[in-house]
Amino acid sequence: IWQAKLGQAVTAQWLAAQGKQAPGLLVDAGQLSLSSPAPSSQALIAWDPVRWQNGQLSTAGRISNLPLAWAEHVAGDAMRNAGITGDVVFDGNWNAQLGQQLKLQAGLTRTRGDLTVLRKDPATGIESRIKAGLREARLTVNNEGERIHAQLRWDSSQLGTATGDVNSQLTATRGTDGHTTWAWPESAPLDGHIKLNLPRVNAWSVLAPPGWRIHGSVNADAKIAGTRAQPQVTGTLGSPSATTTVSNR
């Protein structure tokens, strides 16, 4: 079973209204250890004091020792069926202010471990397990006003490289209560660039975006445009494998 345990008692303090200052809530800094069912592993979440006042939420913190194996609890048998195993561990962090103004910085970075995947020899059709030789795996998200930016970096000796930079637009709606709600609408524009150099492995069927199917090895250099609901990808697609197909249908 999953288990969660606080490192120490955490208190919350209600902040009374003072003059023009609206009431609010202040939660102490703290730590939470989260343990998974077998195979057992443990991650640690630590947060700075959390403040909510005048419709503005401020929070920052870190997560350490987050194992990729936990993704199996979300993906079910999909990763296992694709032959993806490994002991990759991530660290993450966030720093966010959400209210009339939005400030967001968040990241997830591989700190240790490697992946093992199935790769089929195109000549013989024989499958074998190989280690990725993972050197870097990193995802970051940040914003400047309503503009939000996501960056992906993947680098490995056996599973190729991938880089991606995508920008989009958030919208802010202020309610009758004076509070601001942020959203990423389907009409939000997309603007970005991706470069892929990926060998022929079964794993890409699982790791590809929803609705996409990738077979064979892929070399791509493409621009991303359109909207969140209707993304458009244009550019070059080449492959040493004649069986490569990429589809978003």
Side-chain angles (χ1 to χ4, degrees):
I1 60 173
W2 289 89
Q3 293 183 333
K5 183 179 180 181
L6 285 170
Q8 67 279 330
V10 176
T11 61
Q13 178 184 359
W14 179 254
L15 305 176
Q18 294 183 354
K20 294 183 179 181
Q21 192 81 301
L25 181 67
L26 179 64
V27 179
D28 285 349
Q31 291 186 349
L32 177 74
S33 62
L34 184 62
S35 302
S36 70
S40 179
S41 54
Q42 185 179 78
L44 181 66
I45 304 171
W47 61 91
D48 297 339
V50 180
R51 177 183 290 268
W52 178 81
Q53 195 165 33
N54 294 323
Q56 188 86 10
L57 175 67
S58 299
T59 175
R62 300 152 300 284
I63 182 168
S64 55
N65 299 322
L66 180 66
L68 178 67
W70 285 8
E72 293 185 7
H73 294 286
V74 178
D77 295 332
M79 291 180 60
R80 190 178 303 108
N81 292 341
I84 303 174
T85 60
D87 57 357
V88 180
V89 175
F90 295 90
D91 282 357
N93 64 83
W94 74 91
N95 189 340
Q97 296 182 25
L98 182 62
Q100 293 185 19
Q101 302 295 324
L102 176 66
K103 293 183 180 180
L104 173 64
Q105 291 182 330
L108 193 65
T109 304
R110 173 257 183 188
T111 55
R112 64 180 186 273
D114 205 355
L115 283 177
T116 301
V117 300
L118 282 177
R119 182 166 65 181
K120 180 182 291 186
D121 187 306
T124 65
I126 298 175
E127 291 185 337
S128 59
R129 302 195 69 83
I130 62 167
K131 285 188 174 295
L134 192 56
R135 294 185 286 249
E136 180 183 22
R138 174 167 52 91
L139 176 66
T140 59
V141 178
N142 58 67
N143 80 297
E144 294 181 6
E146 295 183 347
R147 189 169 177 82
I148 191 165
H149 173 70
Q151 183 183 77
L152 171 69
R153 295 293 182 266
W154 169 277
D155 182 25
S156 66
S157 60
Q158 299 298 319
L159 289 188
T161 61
T163 62
D165 292 89
V166 180
N167 299 294
S168 191
Q169 199 82 10
L170 302 176
T171 61
T173 304
R174 191 162 187 176
T176 55
D177 58 359
H179 294 171
T180 301
T181 302
W182 291 86
W184 187 31
E186 292 186 350
S187 59
L190 298 178
D191 171 27
H193 181 254
I194 56 173
K195 291 186 69 173
L196 306 175
N197 182 5
L198 308 175
R200 183 188 183 99
V201 294
N202 297 351
W204 305 137
S205 297
V206 175
L207 301 178
W212 288 67
R213 297 293 180 267
I214 298 180
H215 305 281
S217 54
V218 177
N219 292 318
D221 189 342
K223 291 184 178 181
I224 299 175
T227 65
R228 175 195 158 196
Q230 296 182 317
Q232 299 174 2
V233 182
T234 58
T236 60
L237 174 64
S239 170
S241 166
T243 61
T244 296
T245 60
V246 180
S247 172
N248 64 346
R249 295 186 180 183

